[in-house]
Amino acid sequence: STARPSPSPAAGRPLRSMSGSLPSPPNIGRPVRRMTIDEMRLLHKQALSDAEAKRTELRLVLASRYRELVGSSDEVLRMGERAKELHELVHALPSLMEKLTQSTS
């Protein structure tokens, strides 16, 4: 029969602390060959958790930037409409001034 290695001290510990975060992986600098299966599982779980947190953070940042971009483009469109109105008023000004001077004479 093959001898099974005894479980590491981390095997009996809960994976999540009271704050909900995973405990830091044991001996992160140790070569993988010296890590126990439980330590590798914990390291893998932590890496997955970190990756998911980064994905969530990125999604939130992108959503915020997208809303800012849409808001800015709406503002640019409104500015373009106002510029067109102003352009039309400025071009109409000479004829309006001419009508005004004719009506006062």
Side-chain angles (χ1 to χ4, degrees):
S1 84
T2 57
R4 297 180 100 184
S6 62
S8 74
R13 280 190 263 142
L15 287 177
R16 297 211 181 261
S17 66
M18 291 299 224
S19 66
S21 63
L22 291 171
S24 58
N27 303 319
I28 193 80
R30 286 176 50 190
V32 175
R33 290 182 182 179
R34 292 186 180 169
M35 292 177 78
T36 66
I37 299 287
D38 289 331
E39 289 171 334
M40 285 186 208
R41 285 183 179 144
L42 181 60
L43 182 62
H44 180 252
K45 192 165 194 150
Q46 182 67 48
L48 291 176
S49 176
D50 290 349
E52 184 58 34
K54 290 293 181 187
R55 276 192 293 272
T56 300
E57 181 182 356
L58 181 59
R59 261 187 246 116
L60 293 173
V61 168
L62 289 176
S64 172
R65 297 293 183 242
Y66 180 75
R67 283 190 296 275
E68 289 174 12
L69 178 64
V70 169
S72 295
S73 66
D74 289 345
E75 189 62 31
V76 167
L77 291 174
R78 283 191 288 276
M79 288 171 62
E81 291 168 359
R82 295 302 156 296
K84 183 179 176 185
E85 291 171 8
L86 184 59
H87 179 73
E88 290 169 356
L89 289 172
V90 168
H91 279 305
L93 197 57
S95 64
L96 291 173
M97 289 297 292
E98 191 174 316
K99 286 180 186 177
L100 183 61
T101 54
Q102 286 176 359
S103 66
T104 58
S105 354

